[in-house]
């Protein structure tokens, strides 16, 4: 087993290469216990070199980079499921909702437990596949070009379909929430379709884990004053939540 300096150097090298590391992978590679790896990650987080997540760590940066859905799906898993269950309680009979793409939205779709009619319009291919077997849910899959990192639809065809729709609620995820800059994502095409979803919905509900606060993605989706409700976990920064609530945005902490 390498000494602490060598371990931490290798951890930072892997982060630089991949942007994301897991405790179990580092344990195998470094021939060290998971307890030891967690201690290393804690020390590196205290030195502001990385951000710890559930069983993993990612690069600490104020600008969020684009990552594949398979990577993001392994992060903040417990928090996402709590958020999903809370969001499920916001559904009402005969709702016509939009579900955007993202791993928190996938968790939400998996948690939907409704026994009355529901119409779901979505850009996410994986959300469609997850819900299409539910006898109570009518699924409208938006068409267009597949964005591989999110396994979701982008482009003119999807946007033009949304222009002709009016829905009760939009459930949307983000890569960053900044008090001054608003909601952001890491992809320009994703930002465009998200803005069209916002225009098509009466109520905008953001589902996001606490790691997204005070962060910015590459592309702006909208200002904070366009949204109505945020569902997040209890690790969200209290001072930021207070300022969001002062803007008459409802916040649910789970």
């Amino acid at each position: 087993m390498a000494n602490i300096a060598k371990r931490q150097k290798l951890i930072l090298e892997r982060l630089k290469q991949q942007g994301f590391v897991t405790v179990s992978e580092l344990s195998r590679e470094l021939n060290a216990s998971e307890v030891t790896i967690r201690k290393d990650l804690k020390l590196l987080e205290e030195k502001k070199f990385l951000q710890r997540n559930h069983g993993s760590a990612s690069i600490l940066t104020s600008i969020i980079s684009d990552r594949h859905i398979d990577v993001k799906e392994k992060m903040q898993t417990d928090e996402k499921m709590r958020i999903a269950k809370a969001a499920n309680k916001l559904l009402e009979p005969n709702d016509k909702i939009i579900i955007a793409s993202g791993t928190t939205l996938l968790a939400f779709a998996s948690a939907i437990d409704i026994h009355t009619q529901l119409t779901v319009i979505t850009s996410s291919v994986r959300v469609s596949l997850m819900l299409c077997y539910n006898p109570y849910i009518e699924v409208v899959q938006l068409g267009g070009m597949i964005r591989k990192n999110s396994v979701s639809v982008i482009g003119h065809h999807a946007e033009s379909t949304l222009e002709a729709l009016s829905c009760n609620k939009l459930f949307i995820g983000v890569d960053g929430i900044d008090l001054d800059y608003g909601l952001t994502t890491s992809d320009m095409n994703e930002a465009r379709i998200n803005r069209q979803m916002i225009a098509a919905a009466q109520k905008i509900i953001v589902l996001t884990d606490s790691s997204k606060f005070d962060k910015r993605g590459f592309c702006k989706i909208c200002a904070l004053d366009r949204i109505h409700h945020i569902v997040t976990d209890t690790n969200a920064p209290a001072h930021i939540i207070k300022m969001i609530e002062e803007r008459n945005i409802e916040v649910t902490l789970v």
Side-chain angles (χ1 to χ4, degrees):
M1 181 174 68
N3 64 36
I4 186 169
K6 288 182 178 179
R7 284 199 313 272
Q8 293 187 2
K9 181 181 178 183
L10 190 141
I11 289 169
L12 292 175
E13 287 175 353
R14 291 291 176 272
L15 269 177
K16 186 176 180 181
Q17 294 165 1
Q18 302 167 193
F20 174 80
V21 292
T22 67
V23 171
S24 58
E25 288 171 350
L26 290 172
S27 176
R28 288 193 296 271
E29 183 173 355
L30 295 172
N31 191 28
S33 71
E34 292 192 2
V35 171
T36 297
I37 297 300
R38 287 191 183 94
K39 288 179 180 177
D40 287 339
L41 295 178
K42 185 174 186 294
L43 289 170
L44 289 168
E45 185 180 54
E46 290 171 353
K47 295 176 183 177
K48 307 297 184 184
F49 286 123
L50 54 79
Q51 174 180 297
R52 287 189 299 156
N53 306 298
H54 183 73
S56 62
S58 56
I59 293 173
L60 183 66
T61 176
S62 60
I63 301 295
I64 304 298
S65 59
D66 195 17
R67 287 172 289 196
H68 195 277
I69 192 171
D70 290 345
V71 173
K72 294 164 76 173
E73 198 168 12
K74 299 173 185 175
M75 303 169 67
Q76 310 292 115
T77 53
D78 291 343
E79 291 87 346
K80 287 172 183 175
M81 284 312 303
R82 296 203 304 271
I83 292 165
K85 290 176 182 177
N88 185 52
K89 297 176 182 177
L90 302 177
L91 295 174
E92 298 173 291
N94 300 311
D95 263 350
K96 291 176 171 53
I97 68 171
I98 304 171
I99 300 180
S101 66
T103 54
T104 308
L105 281 304
L106 272 177
F108 168 54
S110 72
I112 291 177
D113 181 23
I114 194 166
H115 300 285
T116 58
Q117 291 302 308
L118 176 71
T119 301
V120 173
I121 299 95
T122 185
S123 59
S124 170
V125 176
R126 289 181 62 182
V127 166
S128 284
L129 290 172
M130 189 175 292
L131 297 179
C132 68
Y133 299 101
N134 189 314
Y136 297 100
I137 300 176
E138 181 180 359
V139 178
V140 178
Q141 170 67 62
L142 296 173
M145 183 182 296
I146 295 290
R147 179 174 172 248
K148 293 183 179 179
N149 265 16
S150 59
V151 194
S152 65
V153 172
I154 54 173
H156 170 72
H157 292 296
E159 292 166 20
S160 61
T161 299
L162 286 165
E163 286 177 2
L165 299 177
S166 179
C167 299
N168 303 89
K169 301 172 182 115
L170 163 64
F171 293 87
I172 187 172
V174 295
D175 286 334
I177 296 181
D178 184 281
L179 287 170
D180 297 321
Y181 199 61
L183 308 186
T184 56
T185 184
S186 53
D187 182 84
M188 287 187 289
N189 291 311
E190 197 81 52
R192 279 177 57 92
I193 195 167
N194 285 345
R195 285 194 289 270
Q196 198 62 57
M197 288 175 174
I198 289 169
Q202 297 170 10
K203 185 173 184 180
I204 316 304
I205 303 167
V206 178
L207 309 184
T208 183
D209 67 73
S210 56
S211 69
K212 308 296 177 60
F213 287 90
D214 209 22
K215 301 286 178 64
R216 291 188 184 186
F218 178 57
C219 305
K220 183 172 181 176
I221 299 170
C222 69
L224 276 181
D225 62 9
R226 292 297 307 277
I227 67 174
H228 304 93
H229 194 164
I230 297 174
V231 184
T232 188
D233 61 87
T234 52
N235 291 321
H239 68 288
I240 293 180
I241 295 300
K242 184 175 183 293
M243 286 187 278
I244 288 172
E245 289 177 327
E246 288 172 351
R247 300 185 185 193
N248 295 318
I249 298 169
E250 184 179 357
V251 179
T252 299
L253 297 173
V254 293

